[in-house]
Amino acid sequence: MTGAKRKRSTVWRKIQAVRFEDIKAWCTRRLPILKWVPVYNWKENLAPDTVSGMMLAIQQVTQGTFALTSLISANAVERLVPSARTNFTANNNSGILGLSEFEMQRIGVAAAVSFLGGIIQVAMFMLHLGSATFLLTEPVISAMTTGAATHVVTSQVKHLLGMKMPYISGPLAFFHIYAYVFGNIRSVQLEALLLSLLSIVVLVLVKELNEKFHRNIKVVLPIDLLLIIATSIACYYADMEYIYGIEVVGNIPKGLPSPKAPPMSVLPEVVTEAFGVALVGYVASLALAQGSAKKFKYTVDDNQEFLAHGLSNVIPSFFFCIPSAAAMGRTALLYSTGAKTQVACLISCVLILVVIYTIGPLLYWLPMCVLASIIVVGLKGMLMQFRDLKKYWNVDKIDWSIWVSTYVFTICFAANVGLLYGVVCTVVIVIFRFPRAKTLNLKNMKEVDHKYKAEDNCESLKQVKIVSVNSPLVFLNARKFHADLLKIIQKDGMSSQCEQNTLLCSFSNGSCHGELVQSCHSERHVLILDCSGLNFFDYTGVSVLLQIYMDCKNRYIDVLLAHCKASLIKAMQYSGNLDSENPVFFESISSAIDAIQIHKNYSKFSEQSEV
């Protein structure tokens, strides 16, 4: 009995250990801060993170949260609690931060949108819908965010011109707003217009100079903050609000309210806006995250992003916060100021709390036209995505058509409608394009043996592999194509021993440099892609081919493409930096192998000449 008890006790301890390890791994995966904080390099990273956090806080004060989700929330607020409504509660004090009950009703609707939007994102995380993000192609995301940025600029037109304008929303509201502006052009306030133009010119000029000389200066000039201080002081001393009638920000409450649940009674009425916030905020944030991952060589868990953004919307909603998401301007600022880790964002949050509790009321005299100018200039990065049209036209005209039509749907209706249209349109087009191909899905890669007549060449051809591409290469199968090809390279041992030789040579003080170069030339492998079955492709497919080319080049593997269509050659030459010295494209597999033989014979001749 004693032995049996000891055995059960040992098994139970093992089960507990396994459970503990599983729980620890899950917590580390879902709370990444537990992983990177213990290994944070305080000596090297704290200083640049502190500077970046301070600059980010300054920009946060001037621009606030994500403009696209704010605009979607504003639609729900104006629909349920219109600003033009006169109500007996409008002047009653709610007892929360000195705000009236009418103001708290409007804030409550925005908080409800944030709460429900966050719940939707958490639900999407639990359903593992992050794996479906491959449907969100680059042209769709680019067009949607550009169209949404256009909406935000349109919403600021009344402040830029100093016009009194009723709130206009709904389908085709974009055109109705500009129709109202041109119909009431005489009501434009000249002083506000001049101040807006001056602010935009100063902002654009200084930001361009910051971007041009950011490598030479350690701290960029916080022109947003300086402009706010200067215009607020000028407005106060010149009494612009009463003499010229310039609209100012007005009273800003100090501090944070006590936590309280958002009004649950309005949740059924804000479902549309909540879905818009959940999808648009996630897509825009994911696009920035993937761009950062590509820039700094790491991976993004698409499903984890749903959880992160969901909690970022649910928890703050109890403090009457509006929906949030990542923004291109703030991300670019972190790049330019040299942020190293997420500590920069934590420092920014602490400084924002200081502003909320102390400095907020000082922004009373900030002119609305100046604030609108800051918002519009902050959207410059998104508006510059119009330049993508040339890229899509040169690579794939159908992607160009998707971009244009998605943009039109976004400005005619809303960002979430444009996003839904773009996804549906992309799927439908791919479904109609796939039947024209030989295969519907990417099949297992198979080696194609090439029988070369000359027996002397058999030894050299052992380092040549020929892979046949038997399907289209689009966003649906691009990732699998890349993964399958890398498996073939690793399975067949195509990774050159030169990488190992380089590592070994580093321990010999570089004495084997000449031998290393000679070994690399003699051991280089060649991968020939037979593209005769690649009937069509899109921008994502071309990007994957270029990525494969660069990955193989780093592995000392030469990549040659045979039987390529003219459109594929043009797209790859336009989109990437291919080797200009050695040819990459060949009419047939035989011509590619002939080129390999000529190159090897030339290398042997050069080695003998050196001897």
Side-chain angles (χ1 to χ4, degrees):
M1 292 294 293
T2 305
K5 288 183 179 179
R6 289 178 179 175
K7 186 175 182 180
R8 285 196 298 268
S9 177
T10 302
V11 172
W12 176 248
R13 284 197 298 269
K14 289 182 178 180
I15 293 174
Q16 286 182 322
V18 171
R19 288 179 178 175
F20 175 77
E21 291 299 326
D22 292 341
I23 294 173
K24 182 180 178 181
W26 186 89
C27 292
T28 304
R29 188 168 65 253
R30 299 308 173 200
L31 298 173
I33 192 172
L34 299 177
K35 185 177 182 180
W36 59 263
V37 163
V39 296
Y40 182 76
N41 192 329
W42 295 90
K43 184 177 181 180
E44 293 185 6
N45 296 337
L46 184 60
D49 282 342
T50 302
V51 173
S52 297
M54 294 173 62
M55 300 303 299
L56 183 61
I58 292 172
Q59 190 181 61
Q60 275 282 82
V61 171
T62 57
Q63 297 185 14
T65 186
F66 191 43
L68 306 187
T69 54
S70 301
L71 186 62
I72 296 173
S73 304
N75 291 334
V77 172
E78 286 295 333
R79 180 168 51 82
L80 298 178
V81 192
S83 57
R85 189 183 76 175
T86 55
N87 192 299
F88 72 95
T89 62
N91 296 319
N92 293 347
N93 195 304
S94 65
I96 301 177
L97 301 179
L99 298 172
S100 67
E101 291 186 14
F102 173 71
E103 291 172 321
M104 286 306 302
Q105 288 177 10
R106 291 170 63 84
I107 295 173
V109 172
V113 173
S114 178
F115 175 80
L116 187 55
I119 292 295
I120 293 172
Q121 289 175 326
V122 173
M124 290 179 172
F125 159 76
M126 298 178 67
L127 295 173
H128 293 276
L129 294 183
S131 58
T133 54
F134 68 91
L135 295 172
L136 304 173
T137 61
E138 184 178 325
V140 172
I141 295 176
S142 174
M144 184 275 294
T145 52
T146 306
T150 306
H151 272 299
V152 176
V153 172
T154 301
S155 69
Q156 300 301 315
V157 167
K158 63 180 181 181
H159 298 303
L160 293 173
L161 302 178
M163 294 179 64
K164 301 295 182 181
M165 182 188 303
Y167 188 83
I168 302 174
S169 62
L172 304 180
F174 174 84
F175 303 100
H176 293 313
I177 290 175
Y178 285 104
Y180 182 92
V181 169
F182 288 109
N184 298 270
I185 198 69
R186 293 177 180 270
S187 63
V188 172
Q189 194 175 21
L190 185 60
E191 294 83 0
L193 176 60
L194 292 176
L195 189 55
S196 299
L197 292 175
L198 179 61
S199 300
I200 291 175
V201 170
V202 171
L203 286 169
V204 172
L205 181 62
V206 176
K207 290 192 177 210
E208 287 293 329
L209 292 175
N210 280 339
E211 186 175 349
K212 184 176 181 180
F213 298 105
H214 75 276
R215 294 184 178 180
N216 301 326
I217 54 177
K218 294 183 178 180
V219 180
V220 297
L221 182 66
I223 184 59
D224 296 351
L225 180 64
L226 296 179
L227 185 64
I228 287 176
I229 295 173
T231 54
S232 298
I233 293 175
C235 184
Y236 173 77
Y237 283 103
D239 205 9
M240 295 182 182
E241 182 182 10
Y242 300 105
I243 296 178
Y244 301 106
I246 291 180
E247 184 181 4
V248 296
V249 171
N251 181 51
I252 297 178
K254 183 191 298 185
L256 289 175
S258 301
K260 181 181 177 182
M264 301 298 173
S265 59
V266 302
L267 293 184
E269 302 180 68
V270 298
V271 171
T272 303
E273 287 81 7
F275 266 102
V277 164
L279 294 177
V280 174
Y282 171 77
V283 170
S285 301
L286 183 64
L288 291 173
Q290 290 176 342
S292 299
K294 188 176 181 180
K295 181 180 180 69
F296 296 105
K297 304 291 187 301
Y298 65 91
T299 58
V300 175
D301 185 345
D302 297 347
N303 207 51
Q304 171 70 14
E305 294 296 307
F306 268 127
L307 177 63
H309 288 286
L311 296 179
S312 297
N313 283 323
V314 171
I315 297 175
S317 68
F318 286 84
F319 296 90
F320 298 96
C321 294
I322 63 177
S324 63
M328 183 177 292
R330 295 196 293 272
T331 304
L333 180 67
L334 288 174
Y335 292 162
S336 62
T337 54
K340 300 295 183 181
T341 68
Q342 296 93 323
V343 171
C345 299
L346 294 177
I347 294 174
S348 172
C349 292
V350 173
L351 295 177
I352 290 295
L353 282 175
V354 174
V355 171
I356 291 175
Y357 277 96
T358 59
I359 306 176
L362 299 179
L363 299 176
Y364 178 97
W365 296 99
L366 174 63
M368 287 296 295
C369 58
V370 175
L371 182 60
S373 302
I374 293 173
I375 293 173
V376 169
V377 174
L379 294 169
K380 175 191 170 187
M382 288 188 176
L383 295 174
M384 292 297 287
Q385 291 178 137
F386 278 110
R387 296 182 300 184
D388 292 344
L389 284 171
K390 180 181 178 181
K391 174 176 61 178
Y392 297 128
W393 179 264
N394 285 282
V395 175
D396 183 24
K397 293 179 175 56
I398 292 183
D399 276 348
W400 180 89
S401 302
I402 292 175
W403 197 103
V404 173
S405 57
T406 301
Y407 176 79
V408 171
F409 262 77
T410 301
I411 64 171
C412 287
F413 300 99
N416 51 343
V417 177
L419 179 64
L420 180 61
Y421 164 81
V423 171
V424 172
C425 184
T426 302
V427 172
V428 169
I429 288 177
V430 170
I431 291 175
F432 276 96
R433 292 176 76 182
F434 255 90
R436 299 185 305 174
K438 294 180 180 180
T439 56
L440 295 176
N441 296 301
L442 187 64
K443 293 184 177 180
N444 293 329
M445 303 290 182
K446 63 177 182 178
E447 298 177 24
V448 181
D449 294 329
H450 180 82
K451 304 294 184 181
Y452 210 69
K453 295 182 179 179
E455 294 181 358
D456 297 337
N457 298 322
C458 293
E459 185 66 23
S460 60
L461 291 179
K462 288 182 179 180
Q463 296 179 343
V464 178
K465 290 294 180 183
I466 304 172
V467 177
S468 178
V469 183
N470 296 321
S471 73
L473 191 55
V474 294
F475 71 95
L476 287 173
N477 60 2
R479 289 183 181 179
K480 188 175 186 302
F481 175 85
H482 190 194
D484 289 343
L485 194 56
L486 288 180
K487 287 180 181 178
I488 290 177
I489 293 173
Q490 295 171 355
K491 181 179 179 181
D492 294 337
M494 292 187 66
S495 295
S496 176
Q497 292 294 325
C498 186
E499 296 175 271
Q500 301 179 13
N501 294 342
T502 303
L503 181 62
L504 293 173
C505 185
S506 63
F507 294 99
S508 61
N509 299 323
S511 59
C512 58
H513 178 73
E515 299 176 1
L516 174 63
V517 173
Q518 183 176 354
S519 174
C520 289
H521 281 296
S522 61
E523 295 182 3
R524 290 188 76 94
H525 289 72
V526 180
L527 174 66
I528 300 178
L529 294 180
D530 179 11
C531 299
S532 57
L534 207 164
N535 292 333
F536 65 87
F537 56 90
D538 64 2
Y539 181 81
T540 306
V542 174
S543 299
V544 167
L545 281 177
L546 292 171
Q547 187 175 355
I548 289 171
Y549 176 85
M550 296 306 299
D551 289 346
C552 290
K553 188 176 181 180
N554 294 333
R555 295 169 180 262
Y556 300 96
I557 301 174
D558 294 326
V559 178
L560 307 180
L561 282 75
H563 297 293
C564 295
K565 292 179 173 55
S567 57
L568 177 62
I569 297 175
K570 179 181 178 182
M572 292 191 66
Q573 289 177 338
Y574 180 84
S575 301
N577 297 322
L578 300 176
D579 192 350
S580 58
E581 298 180 359
N582 300 316
V584 177
F585 305 99
F586 295 89
E587 296 180 356
S588 63
I589 296 177
S590 299
S591 60
I593 293 180
D594 290 336
I596 295 171
Q597 291 302 127
I598 294 173
H599 179 72
K600 287 185 177 294
N601 292 335
Y602 177 78
S603 300
K604 289 182 179 179
F605 176 76
S606 300
E607 293 172 9
Q608 293 174 359
S609 299
E610 291 176 0
V611 173

